[in-house]
Amino acid sequence: MTAVDLGIPRPSGKRQNPAEPRPDHPGLIDSFGRVATDLRVSLTDKCNLRCTYCMPEEGLDWLPGDQVLTDDELLRLLRIAVESLGVTDIRLTGGEPMLRPGLERIVAEVSALRPKPRLSMTTNGIGLAKRAEGLVAAGLDRINVSLDTIDRDTFAKLTRRDRLRHVLEGLAAARDAGLSPVKVNAVLMRGVNDHEAAPLLRFCLDNGYHLRFIEQMPLDAQHGWDRRGMITAADILDLLGAEFELTPSEAPRGGAPAERWLVDGGPGDVGVIASVTRPFCSACERTRLTADGAVRSCLFSNDETDLRALLRAGAPDEEIAGAWRDTMWGKLAGHEINEAGFAQPIRPMSAIGG
């Protein structure tokens, strides 16, 4: 369901009427007319890579086990999201979601919800080769695999782990298991892997994967992000344009984060997610749940609502749903990265969930 379906005007950039109370509607409406139907849920903050743009070499202080949602707590929140709040798409993220014990059971339980949500997962691909068929059998519909390079030395430099072979094997297993389309997420770093833009696209086209380049965002634990060194969407298109003919895709974008371009006339395409230089906040349909049960209205929000505390205090479903609705009603117009005074979220990407 969209804002138009509800008779709510499209976002104007300003909150339409700050004095107005939240509409009496069960969905996750915000005061700019957006309706969140896409839930990104972190299963764990832990990761088995140490990507330089995400965390320090020694890793982070992981959440204590008793702070992470139990399977039953997580599944209850996902049931509330689907049955009471109108969520239609669920993406499992991390950290690295395949480090979550009992992942296949979680996938199966979510797939059994009615109405059945579209279920996807974002992973670094390590271990996927052995688990792809089981995840499909459990009900996983799609998968995104993070891969910034196809050069072994560069992979080891970026991730501080020599695991490229395992990621490539995971990609192939996902494709063979029917997880279609298999998407590849790539971040380009100046002077590190920006020279691989075209080879990475050629690799994905040759293997039937759908490549999406993502601008580096200020979500690293070290707070070392520097706009001056960022590879922008314009840079990416220039790098690709040197070897490929790119034409804008005519397929409707909707709330999708990627701008899509046909490669050499198609049918292959490439996406560019320009979160910083071409923000798409006005069409955002996302709500986020951290591994410790906090709801966030935006990836860059510094405000959260603790649903875990409500769960453990014995709150009924409707009280939990109401707290979730109230959080989304307060969502800002955008992430404000390009505004003076922008403050990077305290939590890094690995703790928020992608």
Side-chain angles (χ1 to χ4, degrees), residues 22 54 67 120 201 220 230 306 316:
R22 184 189 178 283
C54 185
Q67 292 185 18
S120 59
L201 177 54
D220 59 306
M230 184 184 71
D306 185 359

Side-chain angles (χ1 to χ4, degrees), residues 251-307:
R253 181 177 177 182
E259 294 181 83
R260 293 168 55 190
W261 304 80
L262 294 178
V263 179
D264 293 338
D269 70 9
V270 62
V272 179
I273 300 176
S275 302
V276 177
T277 62
R278 304 179 187 178
F280 41 87
C281 301
S282 64
C284 182
E285 300 171 341
R286 291 162 194 80
T287 183
R288 297 177 182 273
L289 181 66
T290 66
D292 56 349
V295 166
R296 300 172 65 91
S297 62
C298 174
L299 186 60
F300 294 93
S301 176
N302 273 311
D303 296 319
E304 300 178 338
T305 298
D306 185 359
L307 297 187

Side-chain angles (χ1 to χ4, degrees), residues 11-339:
S12 63
K14 294 182 179 180
R15 189 160 287 165
Q16 295 162 12
N17 189 340
E20 286 292 325
R22 184 189 178 283
D24 183 17
H25 184 278
L28 294 172
I29 304 169
D30 68 36
S31 62
F32 296 93
R34 298 165 296 195
V35 180
T37 56
D38 185 337
L39 171 59
R40 307 296 172 97
V41 53
S42 174
L43 299 184
T44 178
D45 62 326
K46 296 177 181 178
C47 190
N48 44 12
L49 297 180
R50 298 290 183 269
C51 296
T52 56
Y53 54 79
C54 185
M55 66 177 69
E57 186 171 3
E58 65 274 14
L60 300 169
D61 292 329
W62 310 124
L63 289 167
D66 62 349
Q67 292 185 18
V68 176
L69 293 173
T70 67
D71 286 1
D72 288 343
E73 289 170 338
L74 172 66
L75 291 167
R76 183 182 173 198
L77 290 179
L78 299 186
R79 177 180 56 77
I80 291 170
V82 170
E83 295 181 355
S84 301
L85 299 174
V87 166
T88 59
D89 294 78
I90 294 176
R91 177 175 295 279
L92 306 177
T93 73
E96 172 46 50
M98 288 200 295
L99 295 180
R100 172 80 182 218
L103 173 62
E104 283 79 1
R105 181 218 166 188
I106 292 171
V107 169
E109 294 278 357
V110 174
S111 296
L113 294 172
R114 294 295 180 268
K116 183 185 183 302
R118 289 180 289 270
L119 183 59
S120 59
M121 183 173 73
T122 296
T123 173
N124 62 30
I126 296 174
L128 183 58
K130 297 179 179 179
R131 300 175 71 177
E133 290 187 359
L135 288 166
V136 171
L140 190 67
D141 297 312
R142 290 193 301 104
I143 200 159
N144 287 45
V145 178
S146 299
L147 178 65
D148 304 318
T149 174
I150 51 174
D151 178 82
R152 179 178 176 181
D153 291 339
T154 304
F155 185 93
K157 179 179 180 180
L158 270 171
T159 68
R160 303 186 178 103
R161 299 290 188 273
D162 184 12
R163 304 295 298 273
L164 176 61
R165 175 174 64 85
H166 301 96
V167 179
L168 298 181
E169 290 172 352
L171 276 167
R175 179 194 59 208
D176 295 344
L179 285 169
S180 180
V182 174
K183 294 185 179 179
V184 171
N185 296 340
V187 175
L188 296 181
M189 306 286 290
R190 193 174 301 280
V192 179
N193 65 334
D194 51 331
H195 63 287
E196 287 194 66
L200 191 55
L201 177 54
R202 176 63 63 195
F203 165 79
C204 288
L205 292 171
D206 289 346
N207 287 279
Y209 308 139
H210 293 221
L211 179 60
R212 300 292 181 261
F213 287 103
I214 305 174
E215 287 184 337
Q216 184 193 5
M217 294 178 283
L219 289 166
D220 59 306
Q222 310 93 301
H223 286 211
W225 179 83
D226 187 341
R227 179 187 298 273
R228 293 168 297 181
M230 184 184 71
I231 301 291
T232 67
D235 294 331
I236 294 166
L237 294 174
D238 285 344
L239 290 167
L240 297 177
E243 296 194 30
F244 301 96
E245 180 182 352
L246 303 179
T247 54
S249 172
E250 296 183 359
R253 181 177 177 182
E259 294 181 83
R260 293 168 55 190
W261 304 80
L262 294 178
V263 179
D264 293 338
D269 70 9
V270 62
V272 179
I273 300 176
S275 302
V276 177
T277 62
R278 304 179 187 178
F280 41 87
C281 301
S282 64
C284 182
E285 300 171 341
R286 291 162 194 80
T287 183
R288 297 177 182 273
L289 181 66
T290 66
D292 56 349
V295 166
R296 300 172 65 91
S297 62
C298 174
L299 186 60
F300 294 93
S301 176
N302 273 311
D303 296 319
E304 300 178 338
T305 298
D306 185 359
L307 297 187
R308 184 191 65 203
L310 292 176
L311 284 169
R312 296 183 180 178
D317 286 1
E318 188 50 40
E319 182 179 349
I320 294 170
W324 203 327
R325 292 185 189 106
D326 289 344
T327 300
M328 297 306 297
W329 179 244
K331 183 172 183 172
L332 299 177
H335 53 48
E336 300 183 336
I337 292 176
N338 300 307
E339 302 295 328

